Amino acid sequence: MVVRLSGRMPEVTPDRLLSECVPPPRFADVRFGTYRPDPDEPSQAEALAVLSARAEKLAKPRPAPSLWSRLRGRTESPDKPGIYLDGGFGVGKTHLLASLWHESSGPKMYCTFVELTNLVGALGLRTAVEALSSYRLICIDEFELDDPGDTMLISRLLGQLVEDGVEFAATSNTLPDKLGEGRFQAIEFLREIQGLAARFDVRRVDGPDYRHRDLPVAPDPWPDEKVEQEAAVRANASCDHFVDLHRHLAELHPSKYGALLDGIETVAITDVRPLTDENVALRMVVLADRMYDRNLPLLAGGVPLDQLFSAEMLKGGYRKKYLRALSRLIALARAACERPPKSGIDEAG
């Protein structure tokens, strides 16, 4: 039976949000030993060496703080409390981040930036600090600052946790001192961003997007009838009209988008249309991230996926978010095309 995501109203408790702060299934088995640096991109091997060394340190039991370290705020440590991987889309940053998490001792946490802000919003800042201050390591994937409120919230969170000896690792597609650039220019928020940057040892990871190597454009969309027919014969598939889906997303907090996909193995969407509303577009970005985390093939009708976001959006302040979402959606759509259809209908061209 085909599931309609637009008919689901999941509830998510703070305990579930915290318990799910682990690498997504597609990165459950990655390790440093499975990372293959591109020999033409020396920064990849350098990042691997730096994170491997940090993992070796974090694999040991967490040392008890001395009185001197407490008095000096732990400033005697030669290492910065955070390490930050900057680079383009699909160069293996998340692979390295998840490997660090896997090879470090606990307690530890792995989440996206959006998941972290959702968690703090659910718990409250004080409770979040109390819950996370005992952690050895917090890994934050896709570190982004999309609004001034998140900027100040996460800045305060990191500042308090650093004082408690928590170490951080993060990935992003923008250098820390450029986070928020092109979105808001208020000087007080630029100060906050610069303060965050000072907490991280920045490492650049260069290379082409592996998801787009030799695959520069989206696959041809499927006819809507074929999308519906194929979804009907795939196990645990959902199928929604694009408008129904994005309207439903507006009724849910983004922290529930992961739960919306519980039990789903294939996502099907008919009549995909170009987006012009930034709020709708940003919700689709979050859904794309949750789908990618779960490696859910995407059956899509309507316009080609590379036409989902308008040219204006791809030039604006959120362009990197939209480009990341396109990279991921196209990868999921190609995964659906590569699987032999079970309905007996010819493959899409």
Side-chain angles (χ1 to χ4, degrees):
M1 180 178 179
V2 175
V3 174
R4 303 292 179 189
L5 297 180
S6 53
R8 288 184 160 189
M9 294 295 293
E11 293 297 329
V12 181
T13 65
D15 286 343
R16 173 172 174 173
L17 290 176
L18 193 58
S19 68
E20 291 182 341
C21 290
V22 297
R26 67 183 299 118
F27 293 104
D29 297 323
V30 301
R31 297 295 187 273
F32 290 127
T34 62
Y35 182 75
R36 299 290 180 264
D38 186 334
D40 295 327
E41 301 290 349
S43 63
Q44 294 186 11
E46 292 169 4
L48 174 61
V50 169
L51 264 72
S52 296
R54 184 64 66 99
E56 185 176 350
K57 170 190 170 185
L58 290 171
K60 300 175 183 177
R62 183 178 182 179
S66 65
L67 175 61
W68 179 246
S69 67
R70 289 196 297 269
L71 291 174
R72 290 180 56 86
R74 302 178 185 268
T75 55
E76 79 284 356
S77 173
D79 296 326
K80 290 187 177 182
I83 189 164
Y84 181 100
L85 300 182
D86 171 71
F89 308 101
V91 297
K93 302 186 306 296
T94 300
H95 185 138
L96 291 170
L97 185 71
S99 298
L100 176 66
W101 187 91
H102 284 302
E103 299 190 19
S104 299
S105 65
K108 54 190 177 181
M109 174 179 174
Y110 183 106
C111 60
T112 65
F113 182 83
V114 171
E115 289 168 338
L116 181 59
T117 57
N118 290 339
L119 178 67
V120 177
L123 298 179
L125 180 61
R126 177 177 297 180
T127 302
V129 171
E130 292 175 353
L132 301 178
S133 61
S134 63
Y135 280 51
R136 185 79 189 281
L137 171 69
I138 295 178
C139 295
I140 308 170
D141 199 19
E142 298 297 347
F143 199 105
E144 297 172 343
L145 298 176
D146 295 327
D147 63 58
D150 285 349
T151 302
M152 299 192 71
L153 178 70
I154 300 305
S155 179
R156 291 178 61 190
L157 177 72
L158 294 185
Q160 293 184 51
L161 293 179
V162 164
E163 293 302 315
D164 290 325
V166 181
E167 297 201 28
F168 295 88
T171 73
S172 184
N173 301 307
T174 309
L175 288 168
D177 61 356
K178 299 297 183 183
L179 288 170
E181 190 172 273
R183 301 176 190 169
F184 47 87
Q185 298 299 325
I187 189 64
E188 59 268 30
F189 296 118
L190 292 177
R191 290 196 188 101
E192 290 291 335
I193 292 168
Q194 291 166 0
L196 290 176
R199 303 185 189 278
F200 291 94
D201 174 15
V202 178
R203 299 286 170 167
R204 177 75 187 177
V205 185
D206 295 306
D209 184 340
Y210 75 89
R211 291 184 293 267
H212 280 181
R213 289 170 190 163
D214 303 320
L215 301 173
V217 297
D220 292 338
W222 294 30
D224 284 343
E225 288 186 1
K226 180 178 177 181
V227 171
E228 295 172 348
Q229 291 171 351
E230 181 64 19
V233 297
R234 293 203 181 198
N236 302 314
S238 68
C239 186
D240 293 85
H241 189 279
F242 183 68
V243 174
D244 292 339
L245 180 58
H246 76 64
R247 286 177 177 172
H248 186 58
L249 294 179
E251 299 176 356
L252 297 176
H253 190 276
S255 65
K256 299 181 179 181
Y257 289 7
L260 187 67
L261 298 168
D262 282 353
I264 300 299
E265 296 180 20
T266 299
V267 173
I269 305 175
T270 60
D271 196 17
V272 173
R273 304 176 182 183
L275 295 175
T276 56
D277 185 308
E278 196 117 77
N279 291 320
V280 176
L282 290 172
R283 293 186 196 108
M284 292 303 299
V285 167
V286 177
L287 182 66
D289 288 343
R290 301 292 79 78
M291 290 168 55
Y292 187 76
D293 288 345
R294 291 158 176 77
N295 199 21
L296 301 179
L298 171 62
L299 305 170
V303 301
L305 290 170
D306 51 15
Q307 298 178 24
L308 179 61
F309 303 114
S310 69
E312 290 75 17
M313 289 179 179
L314 296 178
K315 295 177 182 177
Y318 295 106
R319 62 181 297 273
K320 293 188 177 181
K321 264 194 168 183
Y322 297 141
L323 290 172
R324 185 188 74 230
L326 289 179
S327 176
R328 293 180 168 184
L329 289 172
I330 289 171
L332 296 176
R334 289 195 173 278
C337 292
E338 290 165 0
R339 293 188 182 182
K342 301 176 183 178
S343 59
I345 304 173
D346 291 337
E347 284 279 6

